[in-house]
Amino acid sequence: MRRAVRRGAKTDRLRLNGMNTGPDFREVTYFLTAESLKDYTALILDGVDRYGIDEESADRWIDSISSRPEDKSAFALGPGESTGLKVTYDLRFDGSKDVQVIIVHVHPA
């Protein structure tokens, strides 16, 4: 069940997690936000297209929350690896809030 995909997501927070022993880092974490369920699902589907995140799992989650948009859900979609990196979308949805968050974790493959 494919839907329109929004391109050009922005983030105002970026974390580089390392070992404090040199210039290397082992993880990049950033936050995507959306102000509507439609925009939120577009961000998820963009992750499916860009990073190879499992489409079936994403669609199941989207269908589930779309049927109860007032609910709260925390769910991590398994990593996509189409770019050579492991990209995980940690979905944090709370229908009672104005802004929804996806925590994106990027690790070396």
Side-chain angles (χ1 to χ4, degrees), residues 1 6 11-12 28-32 36 39 47 57 62 65-66 71-72 74 94 97-98 105-107:
M1 160 186 331
R6 184 178 102 181
T11 183
D12 60 356
V28 173
T29 302
Y30 61 95
F31 303 84
L32 300 175
S36 70
D39 289 344
S57 180
I62 290 167
I65 204 67
S66 293
D71 282 2
K72 188 175 184 178
D94 184 344
K97 297 193 175 179
D98 292 334
H105 302 279
V106 182
H107 298 270

Side-chain angles (χ1 to χ4, degrees), residues 88-106:
T88 303
Y89 272 28
D90 188 355
L91 310 176
R92 304 299 171 122
F93 186 88
D94 184 344
S96 70
K97 297 193 175 179
D98 292 334
V99 176
Q100 308 306 323
V101 177
I102 299 172
I103 305 167
V104 182
H105 302 279
V106 182

Side-chain angles (χ1 to χ4, degrees), residues 10-56:
K10 296 179 184 178
T11 183
D12 60 356
R13 301 206 169 138
L14 177 68
R15 293 184 185 155
L16 304 174
N17 301 320
M19 299 302 292
N20 296 331
T21 59
D24 298 332
F25 55 90
R26 58 181 166 75
E27 177 183 352
V28 173
T29 302
Y30 61 95
F31 303 84
L32 300 175
T33 59
E35 295 179 4
S36 70
L37 179 57
K38 179 181 176 185
D39 289 344
Y40 195 74
T41 58
L43 288 172
I44 295 167
L45 294 173
D46 187 52
V48 169
D49 289 342
R50 286 179 190 243
Y51 308 117
I53 292 171
D54 183 65
E55 181 177 3
E56 187 176 312

